Amino acid sequence: MFENDSALDLLDDIVLDRFELDDLRRGLEEVEISHEVGCGVLTLIELTLAGHGLREMPVTDGMTRELIHRTIDGARAAWLLDQTDKVLRPGSEEYDLWHEAGPEIFREWLGHANAAVADLRQLRQHLIGP
């Protein structure tokens, strides 16, 4: 999940203290969700899971669990979950790009994305209760 340029740029921005959640918020208000924004939401979900030991940590100098927890607190994790419907549907550039890659690749990507969302929902419920 952390291998594409958009994800790597986002990780660098976090480490270099240049990450602005408001940029992502504005991008999610657009009619068509760009690849960078969709990838950003999914990358932050994976990063949150990594920060709690549920995924491998990205291989990025300076990335720590503490930094992840400061960047993505419980409220931000909840907000990310609320955004996934915008990213994981036709019309989102991220969705459409993966769909164009072919049925097998698309199913694998969508399955991975849906599993990450489900894992974050479960983590959030565990951390704050029902």
Side-chain angles (χ1 to χ4, degrees):
M1 185 50 134
F2 301 119
E3 294 110 20
N4 68 64
D5 289 341
S6 295
L8 292 172
D9 288 346
L10 183 121
L11 296 176
D12 285 343
D13 286 347
I14 290 171
V15 169
L16 297 172
D17 198 28
R18 297 185 305 214
F19 173 69
E20 293 289 336
L21 188 64
D22 286 340
D23 293 341
L24 201 58
R25 286 182 204 274
R26 282 189 293 279
L28 287 159
E29 292 171 359
E30 299 294 323
V31 173
E32 183 175 312
I33 307 302
S34 72
H35 160 69
E36 289 77 16
V37 170
C39 180
V41 168
L42 297 176
T43 299
L44 289 173
I45 288 172
E46 289 285 339
L47 192 62
T48 303
L49 294 171
H52 289 278
L54 298 174
R55 297 288 190 278
E56 288 188 34
M57 287 288 290
V59 181
T60 301
D61 289 340
M63 185 62 69
T64 64
R65 282 189 167 79
E66 293 78 22
L67 179 58
I68 294 169
H69 293 282
R70 282 195 312 267
T71 304
I72 311 161
D73 59 16
R76 287 180 172 186
W79 178 81
L80 287 169
L81 287 170
D82 290 342
Q83 307 313 306
T84 57
D85 287 342
K86 296 176 185 176
V87 175
L88 300 177
R89 65 169 167 76
S92 158
E93 189 176 22
E94 182 75 355
Y95 180 99
D96 293 343
L97 287 170
W98 283 102
H99 191 264
E100 292 169 8
E104 199 169 308
I105 292 170
F106 175 72
R107 275 193 303 276
E108 183 178 325
W109 170 81
L110 189 58
H112 183 85
N114 283 328
V117 169
D119 288 347
L120 185 56
R121 284 189 202 291
Q122 188 172 24
L123 173 66
R124 183 172 177 262
Q125 194 169 37
H126 173 73
L127 294 176
I128 64 171

Short mmCIF file of all heavy atoms in Angstrom, two decimals, residues 27-51:
data_model
loop_
_atom_site.label_atom_id
_atom_site.label_comp_id
_atom_site.label_asym_id
_atom_site.label_seq_id
_atom_site.Cartn_x
_atom_site.Cartn_y
_atom_site.Cartn_z
N GLY A 27 -10.19 18.27 -0.95
CA GLY A 27 -10.23 17.36 -2.09
C GLY A 27 -11.42 16.43 -2.05
O GLY A 27 -11.96 16.04 -3.09
N LEU A 28 -11.87 16.09 -0.86
CA LEU A 28 -13.03 15.21 -0.72
C LEU A 28 -14.35 15.93 -0.91
O LEU A 28 -15.40 15.30 -1.01
CB LEU A 28 -12.98 14.51 0.64
CG LEU A 28 -11.92 13.42 0.72
CD1 LEU A 28 -11.56 13.13 2.17
CD2 LEU A 28 -12.37 12.17 -0.01
N GLU A 29 -14.31 17.24 -0.99
CA GLU A 29 -15.52 18.03 -1.27
C GLU A 29 -15.77 18.17 -2.76
O GLU A 29 -16.84 18.61 -3.17
CB GLU A 29 -15.39 19.42 -0.63
CG GLU A 29 -15.41 19.38 0.88
CD GLU A 29 -15.07 20.71 1.51
OE1 GLU A 29 -14.80 21.69 0.78
OE2 GLU A 29 -15.07 20.78 2.75
N GLU A 30 -14.81 17.77 -3.58
CA GLU A 30 -14.95 17.87 -5.03
C GLU A 30 -15.95 16.83 -5.53
O GLU A 30 -16.17 15.80 -4.89
CB GLU A 30 -13.60 17.66 -5.71
CG GLU A 30 -12.56 18.69 -5.33
CD GLU A 30 -12.91 20.08 -5.81
OE1 GLU A 30 -13.47 20.21 -6.91
OE2 GLU A 30 -12.63 21.04 -5.06
N VAL A 31 -16.50 17.08 -6.71
CA VAL A 31 -17.43 16.14 -7.32
C VAL A 31 -16.70 14.84 -7.66
O VAL A 31 -17.17 13.75 -7.36
CB VAL A 31 -18.08 16.75 -8.59
CG1 VAL A 31 -18.91 15.72 -9.32
CG2 VAL A 31 -18.92 17.96 -8.21
N GLU A 32 -15.55 14.96 -8.31
CA GLU A 32 -14.74 13.79 -8.62
C GLU A 32 -13.54 13.78 -7.68
O GLU A 32 -12.78 14.75 -7.61
CB GLU A 32 -14.24 13.79 -10.07
CG GLU A 32 -13.47 12.54 -10.40
CD GLU A 32 -13.07 12.45 -11.85
OE1 GLU A 32 -13.94 12.66 -12.71
OE2 GLU A 32 -11.89 12.17 -12.12
N ILE A 33 -13.36 12.70 -6.96
CA ILE A 33 -12.26 12.55 -6.02
C ILE A 33 -11.01 12.16 -6.81
O ILE A 33 -11.00 11.14 -7.51
CB ILE A 33 -12.59 11.48 -4.96
CG1 ILE A 33 -13.93 11.75 -4.28
CG2 ILE A 33 -11.45 11.35 -3.96
CD1 ILE A 33 -14.04 13.08 -3.59
N SER A 34 -9.96 12.96 -6.69
CA SER A 34 -8.73 12.70 -7.44
C SER A 34 -8.01 11.46 -6.90
O SER A 34 -8.24 11.03 -5.76
CB SER A 34 -7.79 13.90 -7.36
OG SER A 34 -7.23 14.01 -6.07
N HIS A 35 -7.12 10.95 -7.73
CA HIS A 35 -6.29 9.81 -7.32
C HIS A 35 -5.51 10.15 -6.06
O HIS A 35 -5.44 9.36 -5.12
CB HIS A 35 -5.34 9.43 -8.46
CG HIS A 35 -4.16 8.63 -8.00
ND1 HIS A 35 -4.28 7.34 -7.53
CD2 HIS A 35 -2.84 8.95 -7.91
CE1 HIS A 35 -3.07 6.89 -7.18
NE2 HIS A 35 -2.20 7.85 -7.40
N GLU A 36 -4.90 11.34 -6.01
CA GLU A 36 -4.08 11.72 -4.86
C GLU A 36 -4.90 11.75 -3.57
O GLU A 36 -4.44 11.30 -2.52
CB GLU A 36 -3.41 13.08 -5.09
CG GLU A 36 -2.31 13.08 -6.12
CD GLU A 36 -2.84 13.06 -7.57
OE1 GLU A 36 -4.04 13.36 -7.79
OE2 GLU A 36 -2.05 12.74 -8.47
N VAL A 37 -6.11 12.26 -3.66
CA VAL A 37 -6.97 12.33 -2.48
C VAL A 37 -7.44 10.94 -2.07
O VAL A 37 -7.37 10.56 -0.90
CB VAL A 37 -8.16 13.28 -2.73
CG1 VAL A 37 -9.20 13.19 -1.61
CG2 VAL A 37 -7.67 14.71 -2.89
N GLY A 38 -7.91 10.15 -3.02
CA GLY A 38 -8.35 8.79 -2.71
C GLY A 38 -7.23 7.95 -2.15
O GLY A 38 -7.40 7.24 -1.15
N CYS A 39 -6.08 8.05 -2.77
CA CYS A 39 -4.91 7.32 -2.29
C CYS A 39 -4.53 7.81 -0.90
O CYS A 39 -4.15 7.02 -0.03
CB CYS A 39 -3.75 7.50 -3.27
SG CYS A 39 -2.25 6.64 -2.77
N GLY A 40 -4.67 9.12 -0.66
CA GLY A 40 -4.36 9.67 0.65
C GLY A 40 -5.22 9.08 1.74
O GLY A 40 -4.73 8.72 2.82
N VAL A 41 -6.51 8.98 1.49
CA VAL A 41 -7.42 8.39 2.49
C VAL A 41 -7.02 6.95 2.78
O VAL A 41 -6.88 6.55 3.94
CB VAL A 41 -8.89 8.46 2.00
CG1 VAL A 41 -9.81 7.61 2.87
CG2 VAL A 41 -9.37 9.91 1.97
N LEU A 42 -6.80 6.17 1.73
CA LEU A 42 -6.45 4.76 1.93
C LEU A 42 -5.08 4.60 2.57
O LEU A 42 -4.89 3.71 3.42
CB LEU A 42 -6.52 4.02 0.59
CG LEU A 42 -7.91 3.99 -0.05
CD1 LEU A 42 -7.86 3.32 -1.41
CD2 LEU A 42 -8.92 3.30 0.87
N THR A 43 -4.14 5.46 2.23
CA THR A 43 -2.81 5.41 2.85
C THR A 43 -2.90 5.73 4.33
O THR A 43 -2.26 5.06 5.16
CB THR A 43 -1.85 6.39 2.13
OG1 THR A 43 -1.73 6.00 0.76
CG2 THR A 43 -0.48 6.39 2.78
N LEU A 44 -3.69 6.74 4.69
CA LEU A 44 -3.83 7.09 6.11
C LEU A 44 -4.51 5.97 6.90
O LEU A 44 -4.19 5.75 8.07
CB LEU A 44 -4.60 8.40 6.25
CG LEU A 44 -3.83 9.65 5.82
CD1 LEU A 44 -4.75 10.86 5.86
CD2 LEU A 44 -2.59 9.87 6.66
N ILE A 45 -5.43 5.27 6.26
CA ILE A 45 -6.06 4.12 6.93
C ILE A 45 -5.02 3.04 7.20
O ILE A 45 -4.90 2.53 8.32
CB ILE A 45 -7.25 3.58 6.10
CG1 ILE A 45 -8.41 4.57 6.17
CG2 ILE A 45 -7.67 2.19 6.59
CD1 ILE A 45 -9.56 4.26 5.23
N GLU A 46 -4.24 2.72 6.19
CA GLU A 46 -3.18 1.71 6.35
C GLU A 46 -2.16 2.17 7.39
O GLU A 46 -1.68 1.37 8.20
CB GLU A 46 -2.48 1.44 5.01
CG GLU A 46 -3.32 0.70 4.01
CD GLU A 46 -3.47 -0.78 4.32
OE1 GLU A 46 -2.65 -1.36 5.06
OE2 GLU A 46 -4.42 -1.38 3.78
N LEU A 47 -1.83 3.45 7.38
CA LEU A 47 -0.87 3.98 8.32
C LEU A 47 -1.40 3.89 9.75
O LEU A 47 -0.66 3.54 10.68
CB LEU A 47 -0.55 5.43 7.96
CG LEU A 47 0.64 6.06 8.66
CD1 LEU A 47 1.93 5.32 8.34
CD2 LEU A 47 0.77 7.53 8.24
N THR A 48 -2.67 4.18 9.93
CA THR A 48 -3.29 4.06 11.25
C THR A 48 -3.20 2.62 11.75
O THR A 48 -2.84 2.36 12.90
CB THR A 48 -4.76 4.50 11.20
OG1 THR A 48 -4.82 5.84 10.71
CG2 THR A 48 -5.41 4.42 12.56
N LEU A 49 -3.49 1.68 10.86
CA LEU A 49 -3.41 0.27 11.23
C LEU A 49 -1.97 -0.12 11.57
O LEU A 49 -1.74 -0.86 12.53
CB LEU A 49 -3.97 -0.59 10.10
CG LEU A 49 -5.46 -0.43 9.82
CD1 LEU A 49 -5.86 -1.16 8.54
CD2 LEU A 49 -6.30 -0.89 11.00
N ALA A 50 -1.02 0.39 10.82
CA ALA A 50 0.40 0.12 11.10
C ALA A 50 0.79 0.68 12.46
O ALA A 50 1.54 0.05 13.22
CB ALA A 50 1.29 0.71 10.00
N GLY A 51 0.28 1.86 12.78
CA GLY A 51 0.58 2.48 14.07
C GLY A 51 0.08 1.67 15.25
O GLY A 51 0.59 1.80 16.36
#
